[in-house]
Amino acid sequence: MQQSQALDQLKRQVRFAFVMTPERFHEVRALFPALLQRCGVTVVRDPTKTELSEICQHVLAPLKLTVSAAPTAAGTPSPEPEASHLKGITPPAEMNLAMLSAELHTSALACFDAFHKELGRRVHVPPSKHVEMLKLVGELFQTQKKSLWLLVAGLKVTLLKMKEAEAQKDQCKQAIESLQPVLEARVRENAKLLAEISEREVGAEALRSDIALEQRRMDDVQTQIQHVDAKAREEMGAAIERYKESMEQVMALAKEDIAELKSFNKPPGLVKIVMEAVCILFQLQPDWETAQVMLNDVDFVNKMEVFEQDKVADVTVRRLQSYVRNKNFRPEAVEQVSKAARSLCVWVLAVDQYAKVASNVSFRAGKLKEAQEKVDMTRGVLDKKSDELEDMQRAVASMQAQHKVQLSSQQVLEDERAHTSATLQRIRVLTDKFAEQREEWLARQVKAEAVLRCLVGDVLLAAASLTYLGPLSEQYRRSLTR
């Protein structure tokens, strides 16, 4: 166990040194490329330019000095291909870069020799200085490349956004110009439709008022018809009731009452008048002799009972008026001379009233029929007008729905125009505000791209200056820089 630990400690502490010729070293390095990173190399003599160039190529190979990769529009550098570490640089140009670095190292050595001869100050420059310079080249290149790429990408994005804003401004102008005639046409259509709706509504309102007026008139006429009909029925009922009462009094006459009337050779005036009126109703000669014959008829009372009061002619009623209009032709007055004559007087007056009421009712019934026919005709007209009004209302409702849809479409167009106008205004403010800076940004982009293209050479010179110019005086610095 202790022996094993001792062997491990020996392996960690042991150091090997190999001495070989430069030619053999190059053969070993070709077989083992990682040798330079694992081992320390001490060169007894200064390497030649060819050897320095080879060292440069091996050192620069993993550094990937990509000089022509351009930033994308989004500001992110485009990926570097794996096939070549110096994209855009041909193999001869890559070899020239290696030779240039070797030339810089040999020039520095020559300058240091002259500096030693003139001032007696020796500056030891081992070959590792060349490797340090090349590593510094890689560090400076990556740092500067990233900074320049971010700058170019930011400027490209800004200029692209400005260009897109200009294009969007033109699109907004075209959109507003194309929306304007469509919106104007829609406004005219809506105005025309609204005017038509208003006209239809006015017509519908006028028709509605006409229908309401005619309906009120028809209702008034119908009310009058009903009132007249009810009054006629009431009068007819009263006449029938009076006639029935008179018949009851007639039927209550006894034979002695009839015999009393027949016994008058010269009847009292009121009795004579009553009997003449009865004769007129029976279409007989109105005198006392005819009245006596009528009274002698055993069926006299029965004839009065079956008397058809509905068939009394108008001529008979007119002939009867000279009797019933007599101021003494009253039951109360007739009763003073004869009770039987009083009953007949009541009957004559009842027949006269019934005939007059029936005639009046018949006349009014004709008028009511004519009025009802007019009402029915008016109702038919009103039904047609009501149907027309419903059609107009449906048409107005349909037009209002269409107008609502068109207003919604018009509002959409107006909102779109307002939104586009607001967008155009914002774009104008943006483009006007940064119009002067645009040229400056473009110049900065061109300059940064030019610097990016020369970046490899610039960082090579900068790294060489940092590596070699430190120990030299101002004179030798200027000389070596030239």
Side-chain angles (χ1 to χ4, degrees):
M1 188 66 174
Q2 293 179 355
Q3 184 180 1
S4 176
Q5 293 177 354
L7 288 175
D8 292 339
Q9 185 177 4
L10 179 62
K11 289 179 181 180
R12 287 194 298 269
Q13 295 179 356
V14 70
R15 297 291 184 269
F16 296 92
F18 297 94
V19 180
M20 61 186 70
T21 62
E23 292 77 10
R24 181 58 182 167
F25 173 76
H26 291 316
E27 292 176 0
V28 173
R29 187 192 60 188
L31 294 175
F32 305 99
L35 185 61
L36 290 178
Q37 300 177 5
R38 299 288 184 177
C39 301
V41 180
T42 301
V43 182
V44 177
R45 63 173 177 82
D46 293 333
T48 63
K49 290 185 178 180
T50 303
E51 293 172 342
L52 291 174
S53 297
E54 292 178 357
I55 293 174
C56 178
Q57 292 180 14
H58 282 281
V59 173
L60 293 179
L63 298 181
K64 297 184 179 181
L65 303 182
T66 306
V67 297
S68 61
T72 62
T76 304
S78 58
E80 301 176 11
E82 297 295 336
S84 174
H85 62 282
L86 293 176
K87 183 179 178 181
I89 300 180
T90 59
E94 180 180 346
M95 187 177 297
N96 290 337
L97 181 61
M99 294 177 64
L100 179 60
S101 66
E103 182 67 28
L104 287 173
H105 184 74
T106 55
S107 298
L109 292 178
C111 185
F112 286 138
D113 290 340
F115 181 71
H116 172 66
K117 291 177 182 180
E118 180 178 352
L119 300 178
R121 293 171 56 185
R122 178 177 295 278
V123 179
H124 179 65
V125 182
S128 60
K129 279 285 187 180
H130 184 229
V131 177
E132 293 177 3
M133 179 195 72
L134 294 177
K135 292 182 178 179
L136 184 58
V137 167
E139 294 176 0
L140 292 176
F141 179 80
Q142 295 299 332
T143 302
Q144 295 299 316
K145 182 181 71 171
K146 182 178 180 181
S147 176
L148 288 171
W149 275 9
L150 292 177
L151 176 61
V152 172
L155 292 173
K156 279 190 174 183
V157 170
T158 302
L159 293 173
L160 179 61
K161 293 299 182 182
M162 292 289 291
K163 185 177 180 180
E164 292 177 353
E166 291 290 343
Q168 190 176 3
K169 181 170 69 173
D170 296 337
Q171 293 176 0
C172 290
K173 289 181 180 179
Q174 294 176 1
I176 292 175
E177 291 176 357
S178 61
L179 278 175
Q180 189 62 30
V182 177
L183 185 57
E184 291 176 354
R186 189 58 52 83
V187 170
R188 289 194 298 270
E189 291 176 0
N190 290 340
K192 181 179 179 182
L193 183 59
L194 185 60
E196 188 175 355
I197 291 175
S198 300
E199 183 179 355
R200 292 287 186 91
E201 287 180 342
V202 171
E205 185 61 30
L207 182 59
R208 188 181 295 106
S209 300
D210 186 22
I211 291 175
L213 180 61
E214 291 295 331
Q215 184 67 43
R216 287 195 297 271
R217 290 177 179 175
M218 186 180 68
D219 293 342
D220 293 342
V221 172
Q222 189 70 40
T223 302
Q224 292 177 2
I225 290 174
Q226 294 174 356
H227 177 71
V228 171
D229 184 63
K231 187 175 181 180
R233 291 176 182 275
E234 181 182 355
E235 292 177 355
M236 197 66 188
I240 292 174
E241 188 65 26
R242 183 176 181 182
Y243 181 77
K244 288 180 179 180
E245 292 177 357
S246 66
M247 283 302 303
E248 290 177 358
Q249 294 184 22
V250 170
M251 297 303 295
L253 291 174
K255 292 181 180 181
E256 292 80 6
D257 297 329
I258 300 300
E260 178 187 354
L261 290 175
K262 291 188 295 183
S263 65
F264 290 119
N265 290 324
K266 291 183 178 181
L270 290 177
V271 174
K272 183 180 179 182
I273 292 174
V274 171
M275 293 309 300
E276 288 178 358
V278 173
C279 291
I280 291 175
L281 289 176
F282 280 100
Q283 304 294 320
L284 300 175
Q285 184 68 27
D287 54 32
W288 179 245
E289 290 78 10
T290 305
Q292 284 182 324
V293 174
M294 182 179 59
L295 291 172
N296 288 324
D297 188 355
V298 294
D299 293 328
F300 172 66
V301 176
N302 294 331
K303 288 181 179 180
M304 291 184 67
E305 184 180 5
V306 298
F307 182 79
E308 296 180 350
Q309 72 275 12
D310 294 327
K311 296 182 179 180
V312 177
D314 294 338
V315 178
T316 303
V317 175
R318 287 195 294 272
R319 291 178 61 192
L320 192 62
Q321 296 309 302
S322 60
Y323 295 93
V324 298
R325 291 177 180 175
N326 190 329
K327 62 180 181 178
N328 294 321
F329 197 86
R330 296 291 179 269
E332 298 81 6
V334 176
E335 187 179 7
Q336 300 297 324
V337 284
S338 173
K339 292 183 177 180
R342 175 189 180 282
S343 298
L344 295 177
C345 177
V346 171
W347 181 79
V348 170
L349 291 175
V351 172
D352 177 68
Q353 181 184 7
Y354 184 90
K356 290 179 180 178
V357 170
S359 177
N360 189 20
V361 169
S362 176
F363 175 77
R364 283 186 290 183
K367 294 298 181 180
L368 290 177
K369 184 178 180 181
E370 293 178 1
Q372 188 63 45
E373 290 176 355
K374 291 182 179 180
V375 168
D376 294 338
M377 186 181 299
T378 303
R379 183 176 287 108
V381 174
L382 286 180
D383 291 340
K384 291 181 179 180
K385 288 184 177 181
S386 298
D387 294 339
E388 182 181 356
L389 178 60
E390 291 180 358
D391 294 339
M392 293 179 67
Q393 289 175 340
R394 283 194 294 268
V396 169
S398 177
M399 294 171 67
Q400 287 176 341
Q402 181 182 357
H403 182 252
K404 185 177 181 180
V405 172
Q406 291 186 357
L407 278 181
S408 178
S409 177
Q410 176 183 337
Q411 187 62 42
V412 170
L413 292 175
E414 290 178 351
D415 293 342
E416 183 178 355
R417 183 181 64 176
H419 175 71
T420 306
S421 300
T423 303
L424 178 60
Q425 181 62 25
R426 289 195 298 270
I427 294 174
R428 282 176 175 172
V429 171
L430 177 65
T431 54
D432 293 345
K433 183 176 181 180
F434 296 105
E436 297 180 358
Q437 288 87 340
R438 184 176 183 180
E439 297 299 328
E440 179 184 351
W441 292 337
L442 184 59
R444 289 180 62 188
Q445 178 190 348
V446 173
K447 183 178 179 181
E449 289 176 347
V451 172
L452 187 60
R453 285 192 296 270
C454 302
L455 183 60
V456 176
D458 291 342
V459 297
L460 181 60
L461 293 176
S465 299
L466 292 173
T467 304
Y468 299 113
L469 296 183
L472 299 177
S473 63
E474 184 66 24
Q475 177 184 355
Y476 280 92
R477 288 181 181 178
R478 285 196 295 269
S479 174
L480 183 58
T481 302
R482 288 194 298 269

